[in-house]
Amino acid sequence: MSDPATEPTRRAIVGAALTLAPLLTQPALAASPAKASAAPREGHHAFAFQTGTWRVRHRKLRHRLAGSDEWVNFTGRCSAWELLDGAANVEDQFLDDPGGAYRAVGFRRIDPATRLWSIWWFDERSSVVEPPVTGRFVDGLGTFLAEDQLNGRPITVRYLWSGVEGDAPRWEQAFSPDRGVTWETNWIMQFERLS
């Protein structure tokens, strides 16, 4: 039985999922020859490096912002493709977490006015959609930030993308309890290209 307090949130999530479903299940259409030779617009195609299939090595801190140094290592798979002629990107993840395997989806979209990317993470274990992190790539390093909460405490979330020039990009998530003065990295994904 559904909880009346959460029903509007559930409706919004289901509506968003139904809207995004065609985008998340269809690989990107091939660009026309004219578009393929055109130079990318600033900010567009920033996630083109991720297009393809990947083996992913995960390293997650067991307890976040708790002084823990216990890491959990596991593997996963990822498929990613561009949408909207490079103005959006989807990654479909399978995570073989020892605590229980699950699927997740990352959806990214550039704001044409600010040229900032927003990244949303959808995890099948929860109906909660976290606030997007927002940012851009500068000199090959992508930095994306958001304000959020962890156990009722305000935190800043940071995603870093590095190594995007080759076939082994790296993603890191870190939390800051003090508005970016100190950071604790709590999740690392090392990608290895399969195709």
Side-chain angles (χ1 to χ4, degrees):
M1 186 166 176
S2 63
D3 179 357
T6 62
E7 194 57 35
T9 302
R10 287 178 200 262
R11 279 196 295 268
I13 291 169
V14 169
L18 291 174
T19 301
L20 292 173
L23 298 176
L24 301 178
T25 59
Q26 299 288 329
L29 298 174
S32 68
K35 287 186 178 180
S37 64
R41 292 162 283 175
E42 182 182 335
H44 283 61
H45 303 288
F47 285 93
F49 71 88
Q50 198 187 21
T51 298
T53 57
W54 305 83
R55 179 179 295 116
V56 185
R57 287 183 288 123
H58 294 265
R59 181 172 163 82
K60 280 175 51 173
L61 197 57
R62 188 174 297 277
H63 304 288
R64 298 170 178 178
L65 294 181
S68 173
D69 62 359
E70 184 181 355
W71 291 86
V72 178
N73 297 292
F74 58 96
T75 60
R77 295 183 311 275
C78 174
S79 296
W81 57 94
E82 290 188 293
L83 304 167
L84 303 174
D85 193 24
N89 161 278
V90 173
E91 67 175 299
D92 181 14
Q93 294 258 4
F94 171 77
L95 300 92
D96 199 10
D97 192 312
Y102 64 98
R103 295 195 75 93
V105 170
F107 178 73
R108 307 175 181 106
R109 173 74 166 96
I110 192 170
D111 180 327
T114 65
R115 300 178 191 229
L116 294 174
W117 283 85
S118 293
I119 304 173
W120 292 266
W121 180 257
F122 301 87
D123 182 332
E124 73 177 346
R125 300 171 303 169
S126 170
S127 62
V128 175
V129 178
E130 304 296 336
V133 294
T134 304
R136 65 169 45 108
F137 283 88
V138 176
D139 297 328
L141 178 67
T143 305
F144 306 87
L145 301 167
E147 298 302 318
D148 203 350
Q149 289 194 356
L150 178 67
N151 301 324
R153 294 168 43 196
I155 62 168
T156 305
V157 178
R158 181 182 70 194
Y159 291 0
L160 291 179
W161 273 102
S162 60
V164 299
E165 312 288 321
D167 286 335
R170 178 184 174 104
W171 173 89
E172 297 179 26
Q173 175 180 268
F175 291 170
S176 173
D178 50 22
R179 298 187 170 268
V181 176
T182 61
W183 292 96
E184 176 188 80
T185 299
N186 57 53
W187 192 355
I188 300 167
M189 292 186 200
Q190 185 65 56
F191 289 75
E192 176 188 346
R193 183 176 292 282
L194 298 176
S195 66

